[in-house]
């Protein structure tokens, strides 16, 4: 369940597509004042309705309190300009498309119009803030705060400071994330794709390879991940899993017994870094065949499972 809100925080969300709407559903569901800005005016209008739906879905899933969410939704407004949306904000969350030049321009503009003490974060999946905020004023308050999709449901958030980000800005934003019920993890330096994206990309490349090589069908490989390592990793990450993998001897014995096998497997893993157009077509066709239902139906089922998994993990953590 989302933690009680910090009542005075004002958030501005710049770019209200998939991720911006998720951030807004989360901040609104926590009762925070949320202003939206998007250059696509019809999309921004549509976003308001979707943010309401997603914030209320959080309540239905037991992840937010109804009264707080309704109060927060009454405090969602649309900014007519970037200036109007951001000038009073304590925290500006940039969620425009993953395009370095667009983000650099956005940060340059934001630097000129937000309060000097406001935090300006980027939701970027992999662009370093050192480059994104290269031309931004007061760079010490700029930081990557990378959510997972859907941001309102998955608590893990990566915080990635740049060369100029101040430790005070990092601490402030981590505190705000915790009061939104998030679990912030800190990267000590910038790497392309941040940590979560790199891990996901490595696993997905192998999954795609197994599908395109005809070793497994899409639905079976998806089950292999979510009921195999994914299930174990939800309880204990890969290092703890292997530390527990060889009896009382721990990881030391595990490595003695299995490192050689791992080295053989590592040597045979997929290594490519681009897909040809016909491979993209083949992959798309196989995924669409495996999951025939409408996207919104599939998303609702996924979100219900996510909420149930989170409830179970939280209950188990409390019991420990
Ligand atoms: N989609 C994901 O799964 C995911 C997950 C985590 C992080 N991210 C990151 O979040 C960011 C946004 O991704 P998304 O998937 O929401 O993209 P999106 O295309 O769904 O939404 C981007 C929105 O930004 C708006 N926009 C474009 N230029 C703008 C500008 N100059 N000012 C204001 N608004 C502008 C667009 O109209 C659109 O509504 C990217 O950096 C992406 O890497 C995406």
């Amino acid at each position: 369940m989302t933690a009680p809100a910090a009542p005075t925080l004002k958030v501005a969300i710049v770019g209200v597509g998939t991720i911006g709407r998720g951030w807004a559903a989360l901040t609104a569901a926590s009762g925070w004042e949320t202003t939206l800005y998007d250059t696509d005016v019809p999309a921004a209008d549509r976003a308001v309705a979707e943010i309401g739906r997603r914030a209320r879905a959080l309540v239905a899933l037991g992840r937010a309190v109804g009264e707080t969410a309704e109060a927060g939704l009454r405090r969602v407004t649309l900014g007519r300009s970037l200036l109007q949306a951001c000038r009073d904000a304590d925290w500006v969350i940039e969620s425009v498309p993953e395009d370095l030049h667009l983000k650099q321009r956005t940060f340059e503009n934001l630097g000129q119009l937000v309060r000097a003490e406001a935090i300006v974060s980027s939701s970027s999946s992999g662009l370093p803030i050192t480059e994104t905020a290269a031309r931004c004023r007061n760079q010490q308050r700029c930081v990557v705060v990378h959510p997972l999709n859907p941001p309102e449901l998955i608590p893990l958030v990566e915080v990635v400071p740049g060369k100029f980000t101040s430790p005070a800005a990092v601490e402030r934003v981590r505190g705000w994330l915790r009061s939104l019920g998030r679990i912030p993890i800190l990267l000590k330096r910038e790497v392309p794709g941040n940590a979560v994206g790199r891990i996901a990309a490595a696993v997905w490349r192998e999954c795609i390879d197994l599908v395109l090589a005809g070793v497994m069908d899409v639905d079976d490989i998806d089950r292999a991940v979510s009921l195999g390592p994914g299930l174990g990793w939800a309880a204990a990450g890969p290092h703890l899993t292997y530390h527990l993998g060889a009896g009382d001897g721990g990881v030391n014995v595990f490595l003695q017994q299995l490192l050689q096998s791992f080295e053989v497997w590592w040597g045979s893993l997929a290594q490519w870094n681009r897909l040809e157009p016909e491979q993209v077509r083949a992959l798309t066709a196989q995924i669409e065949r495996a999951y025939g239902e409408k996207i919104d139906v599939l998303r609702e089922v996924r979100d219900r499972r996510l909420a149930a998994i989170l409830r179970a993990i939280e209950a188990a953590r409390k019991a420990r």
Side-chain angles (χ1 to χ4, degrees):
M1 174 137 333
T2 306
T8 53
L9 210 68
K10 287 185 185 173
V11 175
I13 299 180
V14 177
V16 279
T18 308
I19 293 305
R21 292 174 193 192
W23 274 120
L26 177 68
T27 55
S30 304
W32 290 13
E33 188 175 332
T34 307
T35 309
L36 317 173
Y37 175 72
D38 199 296
T39 42
D40 181 343
V41 175
D45 286 334
R46 284 195 305 277
V48 176
E50 191 183 322
I51 289 161
R53 185 188 61 69
R54 284 167 72 167
R56 291 185 183 106
L58 283 182
V59 175
L61 292 168
R63 310 299 302 167
V65 176
E67 245 172 66
T68 312
E70 291 306 326
L73 286 171
R74 285 194 293 276
R75 304 174 83 200
V76 173
T77 52
L78 270 179
R80 280 193 299 273
S81 65
L82 190 65
L83 174 67
Q84 194 198 36
C86 300
R87 68 180 157 210
D88 297 331
D90 302 300
W91 181 9
V92 177
I93 301 178
E94 170 275 306
S95 299
V96 304
E98 189 81 344
D99 169 332
L100 180 61
H101 296 297
L102 173 64
K103 285 193 191 278
Q104 283 179 328
R105 262 202 324 275
T106 306
F107 267 75
E108 193 175 358
N109 292 337
L110 286 169
Q112 288 165 17
L113 50 87
V114 301
R115 297 183 306 119
E117 60 278 20
I119 299 284
V120 187
S121 69
S122 172
S123 303
S124 175
S125 302
L127 298 171
I129 196 73
T130 301
E131 283 184 43
T132 302
R135 298 195 302 265
C136 181
R137 260 169 43 189
N138 298 319
Q139 294 167 321
Q140 71 283 354
R141 42 57 186 287
C142 299
V143 61
V144 163
V145 175
H146 174 237
L148 274 67
N149 195 9
E152 72 273 30
L153 257 181
I154 300 191
L156 191 85
V157 179
E158 294 180 293
V159 176
V160 196
K163 291 201 170 81
F164 38 65
T165 313
S166 73
V170 171
E171 273 326 293
R172 259 172 97 202
V173 87
R174 285 167 93 190
W176 291 341
L177 288 165
R178 287 192 195 98
S179 61
L180 287 170
R182 304 299 87 183
I183 302 172
I185 53 167
L186 183 66
L187 270 70
K188 293 185 204 162
R189 67 181 173 87
E190 295 166 308
V191 281
N194 307 324
V196 170
R198 294 175 77 85
I199 297 162
V203 173
W204 196 29
R205 174 164 62 186
E206 190 55 31
C207 292
I208 292 172
D209 206 70
L210 289 168
V211 167
L212 294 182
V215 178
M216 289 181 93
D217 289 335
V218 160
D219 51 352
D220 265 346
I221 191 80
D222 274 8
R223 268 191 286 275
V225 175
S226 49
L227 298 176
L231 181 63
W233 291 344
H239 296 108
L240 179 54
T241 296
Y242 294 141
H243 191 38
L244 303 176
D248 293 340
V251 71
N252 186 27
V253 172
F254 183 85
L255 285 170
Q256 284 171 33
Q257 291 175 347
L258 277 150
L259 182 57
Q260 272 188 342
S261 303
F262 272 81
E263 285 171 348
V264 172
W265 303 336
W266 284 328
S268 73
L269 289 178
Q271 300 284 339
W272 46 260
N273 53 21
R274 77 180 299 272
L275 284 172
E276 300 303 329
E278 66 274 15
Q279 292 176 307
V280 172
R281 278 195 291 278
L283 179 67
T284 307
Q286 292 197 50
I287 295 173
E288 287 176 351
R289 211 172 30 248
Y291 300 108
E293 285 168 284
K294 285 190 170 162
I295 294 286
D296 56 347
V297 175
L298 294 167
R299 191 187 294 128
E300 205 186 309
V301 172
R302 188 271 318 264
D303 288 356
R304 252 190 285 123
R305 287 184 192 170
L306 272 175
I309 292 166
L310 287 169
R311 271 196 302 276
I313 291 173
E314 285 160 4
R317 287 222 171 102
K318 268 191 207 134
R320 165 127 197 239

